[in-house]
Amino acid sequence: MTRVLLAPRTLRAILPAVSLALLLAAIFWLQPRTMSYTGLNLMLNLAIPIALATIAQMFVLCVNELDLSIGAYVGYVACVTATWLVDNPPLGIAALLAGILVYAGLGALIHLRNLPSIVVTLGMSFVWLGVAVLILPRPGGTSPEWIRWLMKLHTPVVPFPIIAATVIAVVVHVALMRTAYGSILRGAGGNPRAIDRAGWSLLKIKVVMFALAGLFGMLAGMALIGLTTSGDANIAARYTLLSIAGAILGGCEFVGGRVSPAGAVIGAITLTLAGSFLSFLRISPDWQIGATGAILILVLALRALINRAEERR
Amino acid sequence: MERMLQGVSLAVLALALAGGTAVADTSDKRIALSNNYAGNSWRQAMLRSWDKVTSQAVADGVVAAADAFTTAENQVTEQAAMIQNLVLQGYDAIVLNAASPDALNGAVREACDAGITVVSFDGIVTEPCAWRIAVDFHQMGKDEVLYLAEKMPDGGKLLEIRGLAGVFVDDEISNGIHEGVAENPQFEIVSSVHGDWDQAVAQRAVAGILPSLPEIDAIVTQGGDGYGAAQAFDAAGRDIPLIIMGNRHDELTWWKEQKDASGYETMSVSIAPGVATLAFWVAQQILDGAEVPQDLVVPFLRIDQDNLEENLANTEPGGVANVEYTLEDAQAVIAAGGQ
């Protein structure tokens, strides 16, 4: 039993959860006020869009690619949601679906032309930002009523952000980790040649994964507008780095198709809470980015140790 | 019957409580400043003013704490998270210089729902539950022309130096100037250039257009550009017209030199970074139970011929003229806003 518990595989799986639990304990100790329904609600609600963006990033990481445009894309979705989806819902829905289609097209382009995804998505980030500014030249707009209602939902006993995070983690986990097609999708990152030889289309897999990234990026932008109630083209500029950091923190790897949906959600929440923790500690914001980096390095160092233990066997 | 009497006496009690304004004690209240940016001299001066005035207020026991928080990256999501953290830290009021007029409304609404007073200034928010201390840039532009109308009853030809194209502030000030000119038809704007609120850009822009200009009687500006305009006229060997200044140290220094040498007369107007301290006192007054209108207007810091030396002495080299507001100033602004 202890052997199973101390196995590197188990350790690696529970490391994100343990870091989150420690951080949460430290926050409760520093600021007991947070240990309440309202406190958790306030602290965690901005983690929901970040968690969705992290899941989007995870899909791209899963096929050994990197998406540097996710922040700008979430900003584009936010601008569409705050304007067209309110004034002209069919146009808004069309614009959102077009976003997912563009993502699918990017997957195809990257695969067919064998282009580095970093370059393609970096270029796309300027396209998304430009379109967002065209749609919403100055900050404004309103949130569609139903999204606002959903994000402000006061669920009984357990705060809404916790329920939402659990639902996201479970749904993606089941779909990607527990279904046959899910393992093929992951396999395309781990051993593309084997998947190709087995007769699966790598092109189709990349298109599906990028489209899923587009879908979850869209959900992130809509959730963000539900919280902020109005849009701004630069609203999610930080999400690109946050989503990569969250996914890595949650146990995903840059290559090899090794991903963890639950870990990614936990990673996103950990990053959000790290900000609150540092601000409760009264650390100057100039140092906060560095301190967040230090937390990230700490967790990654622990993981490297576990990996080394695994190799030694 | 008895129950009804009880109800009446409760109502009387409530009336009595509501009637006496400014009765609550704020010595146990905590106020936080949420600031989105600290990267220029104006914001640095603002933070210094905040620290100076509030640390005195804390020492005097007016409030229990007044801490300043600045986001590292001038990002909306970062500031929204900061506001939520401030709510959790139990502050009674948040004084806010916002990264976006709309996109923080969700977080501001949550703070209001938690019973926290939110006072926005400079970068104001549109959420109705928050108080706003706005800058009337339109009036600032108009005031420049009104000063000229008083100074030169016969009117004259004006050169307008504008700010950064496409920015809301530039449009507002320029609209105010043009409205002033429309009401005083003895003036005529013969040309407009963009000086980007920067001495070097303004000097280049004015120098470029100067050969094509007739005799100019006065220059209307937006601040940060007056010294550059003077340099351009000087370099071209032309008579320097009356230039409205914008409270920058180099502008005031140049004005002082001209005043001593030849009795040069003008005026200077801008917004003092100390407006943060005005917002602090307004927040304190709201916590104190005072009746405060949701929308207030920042007074301009205007420098005239007779108080030039005093203001110049208080301005740091490279900085902008500043003033720290007092409780009485805040009460005056509140009273003016109520009318």
Side-chain angles (χ1 to χ4, degrees), chain B residues 79-322:
Chain B
Q79 198 171 20
M82 180 206 266
I83 292 172
Q84 297 184 342
N85 287 333
L86 293 176
V87 171
L88 287 173
Q89 280 167 277
Y91 284 97
D92 299 287
I94 297 173
V95 173
L96 177 67
N97 196 344
S100 161
D102 298 284
L104 286 171
N105 283 355
V108 170
R109 181 80 241 174
E110 270 157 9
C112 292
D113 289 347
I116 291 166
T117 302
V118 180
V119 178
S120 63
F121 70 99
D122 189 34
I124 54 172
V125 292
T126 54
E127 169 59 49
C129 76
W131 275 262
R132 276 161 291 282
I133 304 179
V135 178
D136 191 351
F137 288 110
H138 188 87
Q139 189 61 42
M140 190 170 129
K142 200 171 166 180
D143 277 356
E144 294 186 18
V145 182
L146 294 181
Y147 167 81
L148 291 178
E150 206 175 289
K151 197 91 202 147
M152 315 172 164
D154 300 336
K157 293 187 166 55
L158 306 183
L159 170 64
E160 182 192 11
I161 304 181
R162 298 187 56 162
L164 206 55
V167 179
F168 154 84
V169 174
D170 169 56
D171 284 338
E172 283 293 300
I173 299 181
S174 183
N175 286 341
I177 288 174
H178 283 262
E179 190 183 298
V181 169
E183 286 173 16
N184 295 281
Q186 69 272 33
F187 289 103
E188 181 200 358
I189 295 178
V190 293
S191 186
S192 289
V193 292
H194 281 279
D196 297 0
W197 301 310
D198 182 278
Q199 304 296 358
V201 177
Q203 183 173 351
R204 266 203 314 279
V206 173
I209 198 172
L210 204 45
S212 67
L213 293 180
E215 184 85 6
I216 297 291
D217 297 297
I219 304 182
V220 281
T221 66
Q222 298 198 354
D225 40 16
Y227 179 71
Q231 293 300 307
F233 272 81
D234 199 29
R238 290 180 60 154
D239 286 342
I240 297 178
L242 191 162
I243 305 173
I244 307 268
M245 296 297 179
N247 291 5
R248 269 52 166 199
H249 182 262
D250 50 2
E251 294 177 339
L252 298 179
T253 310
W254 180 86
W255 178 10
K256 173 84 177 90
E257 283 165 13
Q258 299 299 310
K259 181 183 170 187
D260 291 346
S262 61
Y264 186 82
E265 281 187 30
T266 184
M267 68 94 142
S268 179
V269 64
S270 191
I271 305 300
V275 60
T277 60
L278 180 70
F280 167 77
W281 288 116
V282 168
Q284 189 269 340
Q285 283 294 293
I286 296 167
L287 291 178
D288 203 8
E291 195 71 36
V292 179
Q294 300 287 129
D295 288 280
L296 297 171
V297 175
V298 180
F300 306 117
L301 174 57
R302 179 171 162 163
I303 301 173
D304 282 296
Q305 206 70 9
D306 46 351
N307 59 7
L308 169 62
E309 285 76 10
E310 183 193 336
N311 276 294
L312 181 57
N314 290 335
T315 307
E316 291 173 33
V320 51
N322 196 4

Side-chain angles (χ1 to χ4, degrees), chain A residues 21-45:
Chain A
L22 282 178
L23 192 59
L24 208 53
I27 288 177
F28 284 163
W29 179 71
L30 268 176
Q31 193 59 258
R33 222 183 294 257
T34 55
M35 213 180 346
S36 64
Y37 184 93
T38 325
L40 284 170
N41 211 351
L42 275 182
M43 244 186 340
L44 291 176
N45 62 13

Side-chain angles (χ1 to χ4, degrees), chain B residues 3-16:
Chain B
R3 178 164 290 181
M4 201 174 137
L5 271 178
Q6 219 167 14
V8 168
S9 60
L10 263 180
V12 169
L13 187 66
L15 267 178

Side-chain angles (χ1 to χ4, degrees), chain A residues 164-185:
Chain A
T166 314
V167 168
I168 296 166
V170 168
V171 166
V172 180
H173 182 84
V174 168
L176 195 62
M177 312 300 274
R178 289 277 179 268
T179 63
Y181 195 62
S183 57
I184 289 167
L185 291 176

Side-chain angles (χ1 to χ4, degrees), chain A:
Chain A
M1 182 64 197
T2 36
R3 194 158 233 185
V4 176
L5 267 181
L6 288 176
R9 200 186 157 82
T10 327
L11 276 181
R12 195 173 53 223
I14 62 168
L15 183 62
V18 170
S19 356
L20 176 62
L22 282 178
L23 192 59
L24 208 53
I27 288 177
F28 284 163
W29 179 71
L30 268 176
Q31 193 59 258
R33 222 183 294 257
T34 55
M35 213 180 346
S36 64
Y37 184 93
T38 325
L40 284 170
N41 211 351
L42 275 182
M43 244 186 340
L44 291 176
N45 62 13
L46 279 169
I48 295 307
I50 298 177
L52 288 163
T54 306
I55 292 283
Q57 186 68 256
M58 185 202 72
F59 282 123
V60 177
L61 281 176
C62 188
V63 284
N64 299 347
E65 307 288 357
L66 200 58
D67 184 3
L68 293 185
S69 64
I70 190 75
Y73 173 67
V74 172
Y76 158 79
V77 172
C79 288
V80 170
T81 308
T83 53
W84 292 347
L85 203 58
V86 182
D87 310 329
N88 187 352
L91 178 66
I93 292 167
L96 294 178
L97 289 179
I100 298 178
L101 275 181
V102 169
Y103 253 84
L106 286 181
L109 182 73
I110 287 168
H111 179 75
L112 289 176
R113 308 304 305 166
N114 205 12
L115 295 168
S117 57
I118 293 183
V119 177
V120 175
T121 55
L122 184 64
M124 277 311 289
S125 71
F126 296 104
V127 175
W128 293 125
L129 183 64
V131 176
V133 170
L134 284 179
I135 296 173
L136 193 64
R138 57 172 64 179
T142 52
S143 162
E145 209 45 55
W146 59 276
I147 300 180
R148 181 89 192 118
W149 172 84
L150 182 67
M151 296 309 289
K152 288 284 281 181
L153 200 60
H154 276 264
T155 44
V157 191
V158 185
F160 175 71
I162 295 178
I163 296 178
T166 314
V167 168
I168 296 166
V170 168
V171 166
V172 180
H173 182 84
V174 168
L176 195 62
M177 312 300 274
R178 289 277 179 268
T179 63
Y181 195 62
S183 57
I184 289 167
L185 291 176
R186 282 183 290 130
N191 193 342
R193 197 169 291 172
I195 296 291
D196 194 28
R197 285 226 185 98
W200 297 94
S201 159
L202 284 177
L203 170 68
K204 198 177 147 200
I205 291 174
K206 281 238 161 124
V207 168
V208 168
M209 288 307 245
F210 270 80
L212 281 172
L215 173 69
F216 276 84
M218 179 190 92
L219 295 177
M222 293 169 77
L224 186 56
I225 284 301
L227 290 171
T228 61
T229 70
S230 94
D232 184 334
N234 284 308
I235 196 165
R238 297 184 87 206
Y239 276 28
T240 302
L241 286 179
L242 278 179
S243 67
I244 297 172
I248 300 301
L249 198 57
C252 306
E253 305 275 351
F254 279 117
V255 286
R258 186 180 255 172
V259 294
S260 159
V265 171
I266 290 177
I269 294 175
T270 309
L271 277 181
T272 316
L273 287 181
S276 297
F277 173 68
L278 294 170
S279 107
F280 293 149
L281 270 185
R282 315 221 43 189
I283 290 179
S284 144
D286 296 331
W287 293 92
Q288 280 191 15
I289 298 174
T292 312
I295 293 178
L296 202 61
I297 289 171
L298 193 72
V299 174
L300 290 185
L302 275 176
R303 198 161 84 200
L305 278 179
I306 293 172
N307 282 351
R308 195 170 292 175
E310 191 176 35
E311 274 162 23
R312 216 175 282 148
R313 300 206 163 195

